[in-house]
Amino acid sequence: MDQPVPSSAYPVSARNKVKRLHERGFYDRETIWKILDAAMLCHVSYVIDGQPFCTPTIHWREGDWLYWHGSSASRMLRQLKAGAPVCLTVSHLDGLVLSRCGFNHSANHRSAMCFGIAGIVDDPGQKSRAFDALIERFYPGRPAMMRANTVQEEKATMVIGMQIEEASAKVRAKGAGDNDEDLETPLWAGVIPVETVLRSPEISPQVPAGTAVPPHVRLYGEGRRLDDALLEAQALYEASAK
Amino acid sequence: MDQPVPSSAYPVSARNKVKRLHERGFYDRETIWKILDAAMLCHVSYVIDGQPFCTPTIHWREGDWLYWHGSSASRMLRQLKAGAPVCLTVSHLDGLVLSRCGFNHSANHRSAMCFGIAGIVDDPGQKSRAFDALIERFYPGRPAMMRANTVQEEKATMVIGMQIEEASAKVRAKGAGDNDEDLETPLWAGVIPVETVLRSPEISPQVPAGTAVPPHVRLYGEGRRLDDALLEAQALYEASAK
């Protein structure tokens, strides 16, 4: 993997500059990549004839490149075929923040917005490798345990790639921020933390008896935080790709 | 509250028609509202000079109207002031779905995409009521326990409203979908459920000793699913608004 130095920052322009509460803004790859890699779900914004669309999908990252996929019939992917400006955003909700006045209510969160030009990965070899990368990134070691995709399966699905041109992150991770004049108000204030966690894996009744639980399933162990598991999977993926 | 019959459906056009795996698509208000109301976080897509932006924010709903807010300095809100086409999407990740071949991997999810023209709520009375609604919807009874917002606070924040013109939902809630020819493959397949849950509330050290825990904090009890708590809060909010 040819990756830039993780501590280097993306360029800042009017497009990605954090305007609101700019002290919560970050532009360095380390912060942004960690937010991206801790999530499976992203939201992709694109424009068709002036109409914005916001489509949820699964993304994965290799260095400065983001990838996602979808049916060859989908509205989003037909639009992106020509190469189109996209904003891909990942957000984590980490806590509800209740303060003594309405204005100081907030939410703890981590979010990353990434800008670039999205295009189709249409070289058949590159596309096959991308499908394997998608599975390998989330479930390290699993592609080697499966049959290859059929030609028909790969035709039915498109892969989109986008080099991140600019990006920014916003992070809030602290308690209630009350004004001095509100501190005597006898009203509960504080943070109610929010976590996205994994529950006990439910094996398909169609799996042959005696089939082992592979390490990439144990990685998503019951009660574990999803973001921690996804970061571990990404680290394994990057180590195996070296 | 003047609400349409919950079972009635939004109109379907090329914009909101679910094209990919259309058997997972829904257009009825009951399904779409439940997905919206079960989340605090949404993603709003809008366009500035052909460039799409995808901004995470907190939304709330009153009948067919969606609301969100932000700093008067924010890029999004300055753009929307004139009234602009928007797509607001809410997504819940409910499970990782592992199948015997790469193509049949998936994710259980609930998502809703809503289309409309967003505009600023600039009547001062309406705006004040919207700020109260924002707090009341998430924390029923809390606005009555707080001081009123100052004029300065309300000036620093904009409220955006959008009537839902069209919307669609997509839901996948089932196990691995393996092809018949893959059923003998001795590879673990199934679902790893994902839940977003609440952790123990952390009171601010600045709150006076002896301050009670109000019912709207107990509603977000430790270990409870966030979506369940948000649906209960919305039901309380709608009941109190009647």
Side-chain angles (χ1 to χ4, degrees):
Chain A
M1 300 261 294
D2 184 18
Q3 296 190 347
V5 181
S7 62
S8 65
Y10 289 105
V12 180
S13 77
R15 185 168 64 170
N16 68 321
K17 191 168 163 66
V18 174
K19 292 196 179 58
R20 180 171 172 248
L21 299 172
H22 55 81
E23 72 280 9
R24 297 182 192 165
F26 298 87
Y27 304 95
D28 62 288
R29 285 179 166 78
E30 191 176 356
T31 301
I32 290 165
W33 290 3
K34 199 171 171 188
I35 291 169
L36 294 170
D37 296 349
M40 175 176 260
L41 182 72
C42 72
H43 286 78
V44 177
S45 287
Y46 53 99
V47 188
I48 302 178
D49 299 333
Q51 170 70 52
F53 289 84
C54 182
T55 298
T57 192
I58 291 169
H59 68 283
W60 71 103
R61 183 186 66 79
E62 290 177 19
D64 263 331
W65 283 80
L66 288 167
Y67 295 92
W68 61 100
H69 76 306
S71 159
S72 299
S74 87
R75 179 191 295 116
M76 170 173 74
L77 297 186
R78 282 183 288 124
Q79 173 68 13
L80 298 184
K81 206 160 185 172
V86 155
C87 177
L88 185 152
T89 298
V90 162
S91 306
H92 304 268
L93 178 66
D94 292 327
L96 320 183
V97 181
L98 290 78
S99 299
R100 248 71 70 82
C101 72
F103 187 73
N104 286 332
H105 280 67
S106 189
N108 282 339
H109 65 279
R110 292 162 286 155
S111 64
M113 293 174 76
C114 301
F115 298 93
I117 303 293
I120 300 279
V121 176
D122 49 12
D123 174 81
Q126 278 192 350
K127 193 174 171 182
S128 285
R129 284 190 295 279
F131 285 126
D132 275 357
L134 163 57
I135 304 293
E136 183 77 32
R137 177 267 177 271
F138 291 110
Y139 312 114
R142 190 167 179 90
M145 302 174 181
M146 295 188 304
R147 67 166 171 79
N149 293 321
T150 66
V151 172
Q152 194 54 38
E153 284 170 346
E154 298 210 349
K155 268 196 184 160
T157 310
M158 282 210 271
V159 176
I160 306 289
M162 179 182 93
Q163 187 169 17
I164 303 171
E165 292 173 359
E166 293 173 355
S168 62
K170 279 186 77 178
V171 178
R172 188 193 194 278
K174 57 182 184 184
D178 279 316
N179 298 358
D180 287 347
E181 63 270 27
D182 295 327
L183 293 181
E184 301 302 314
T185 307
L187 174 60
W188 196 96
V191 176
I192 307 175
V194 173
E195 286 183 4
T196 298
V197 296
L198 297 152
R199 296 307 187 195
S200 181
E202 299 163 357
I203 193 170
S204 166
Q206 297 183 310
V207 171
T211 297
V213 179
H216 60 256
V217 172
R218 291 200 302 272
L219 189 152
Y220 295 92
E222 184 176 0
R224 191 175 192 194
R225 286 177 65 121
L226 174 65
D227 52 5
D228 286 342
L230 290 171
L231 287 172
E232 183 182 338
Q234 176 76 14
L236 289 169
Y237 171 61
E238 291 182 8
S240 74
K242 268 178 185 152
Chain B
M1 300 259 295
D2 183 16
Q3 297 190 347
V5 181
S7 62
S8 64
Y10 289 104
V12 179
S13 77
R15 184 167 66 168
N16 67 322
K17 190 169 164 63
V18 175
K19 293 196 178 58
R20 181 172 171 247
L21 299 172
H22 54 82
E23 72 280 9
R24 297 182 190 165
F26 298 87
Y27 304 95
D28 62 288
R29 285 179 166 79
E30 191 175 356
T31 301
I32 290 165
W33 289 4
K34 198 172 171 189
I35 292 169
L36 294 170
D37 297 348
M40 175 177 261
L41 183 71
C42 71
H43 286 77
V44 178
S45 286
Y46 53 99
V47 188
I48 302 178
D49 299 333
Q51 170 69 53
F53 290 84
C54 182
T55 298
T57 192
I58 291 169
H59 67 283
W60 71 103
R61 184 186 65 80
E62 290 176 18
D64 263 331
W65 283 79
L66 287 167
Y67 295 93
W68 61 99
H69 75 307
S71 158
S72 299
S74 88
R75 180 191 295 116
M76 170 173 72
L77 298 186
R78 281 183 288 122
Q79 173 68 12
L80 299 184
K81 205 160 186 170
V86 155
C87 176
L88 185 152
T89 297
V90 162
S91 305
H92 305 267
L93 178 65
D94 292 328
L96 320 182
V97 181
L98 291 79
S99 300
R100 248 70 72 82
C101 73
F103 187 73
N104 286 331
H105 280 67
S106 188
N108 282 339
H109 65 279
R110 291 162 285 156
S111 65
M113 293 174 76
C114 301
F115 298 93
I117 302 293
I120 300 280
V121 176
D122 50 11
D123 173 81
Q126 279 192 346
K127 193 174 172 182
S128 284
R129 284 191 294 278
F131 285 126
D132 276 356
L134 164 57
I135 304 293
E136 183 77 31
R137 177 266 177 271
F138 291 109
Y139 311 114
R142 192 167 177 89
M145 303 174 180
M146 296 189 302
R147 67 166 171 79
N149 293 322
T150 65
V151 172
Q152 193 55 37
E153 285 170 344
E154 297 211 348
K155 268 195 184 162
T157 310
M158 283 210 271
V159 176
I160 306 289
M162 178 181 94
Q163 186 169 17
I164 303 172
E165 292 173 357
E166 292 173 355
S168 62
K170 276 185 77 177
V171 177
R172 188 193 193 279
K174 57 182 184 183
D178 279 316
N179 299 357
D180 287 348
E181 63 269 28
D182 294 327
L183 292 181
E184 300 302 314
T185 307
L187 175 60
W188 196 96
V191 176
I192 308 175
V194 173
E195 285 183 4
T196 297
V197 297
L198 298 152
R199 296 305 187 197
S200 181
E202 299 163 357
I203 192 169
S204 166
Q206 296 182 312
V207 171
T211 297
V213 179
H216 59 256
V217 172
R218 290 200 302 272
L219 189 153
Y220 295 92
E222 184 176 359
R224 191 173 192 196
R225 288 177 64 121
L226 175 64
D227 52 6
D228 286 342
L230 289 171
L231 287 172
E232 182 182 339
Q234 177 76 13
L236 289 169
Y237 171 61
E238 291 182 7
S240 75
K242 267 177 188 154

